[in-house]
Amino acid sequence: MQDATAQMAVLQFISSGLPEAAVPSTIHCDHLIEAQIEGKQDLDRANDINGEVYNFLGSAAAKFGLGYWKPTRA
């Protein structure tokens, strides 16, 4: 799942009441990074603006057995 849509997917999964994902799944946090200045500054800006989203997705992934790829520079 990508970060932009994974928020709703994870919320829907949580409402299902299942203890963990039935199939291997991962969340990739790279779609909320906007290319505006250069790599490091854009990544720092995305972390500042979307930090709450990234924290939610990371903690939900850990709780429900999902893979999590946090936003990083290539």
Side-chain angles (χ1 to χ4, degrees), residues 10 20 25 27 30 36 39 41 43 46 64 66 71:
V10 170
E20 64 182 29
S25 304
I27 299 169
D30 58 352
Q36 293 187 348
Q41 288 177 305
L43 181 59
F64 296 108
L66 305 169

Side-chain angles (χ1 to χ4, degrees), residues 10-31:
V10 170
L11 288 171
Q12 290 174 341
F13 177 79
I14 291 169
S15 71
S16 76
L18 295 172
E20 64 182 29
V23 297
S25 304
T26 58
I27 299 169
H28 300 259
C29 292
D30 58 352
H31 285 77

Side-chain angles (χ1 to χ4, degrees), residues 13-58:
F13 177 79
I14 291 169
S15 71
S16 76
L18 295 172
E20 64 182 29
V23 297
S25 304
T26 58
I27 299 169
H28 300 259
C29 292
D30 58 352
H31 285 77
L32 294 176
I33 302 169
E34 299 175 34
Q36 293 187 348
I37 302 166
E38 63 86 27
K40 181 172 178 357
Q41 288 177 305
D42 293 339
L43 181 59
D44 290 344
R45 183 173 180 273
N47 282 322
D48 184 50
I49 293 170
N50 303 303
E52 185 176 7
V53 173
Y54 299 147
N55 290 338
F56 165 69
L57 293 174

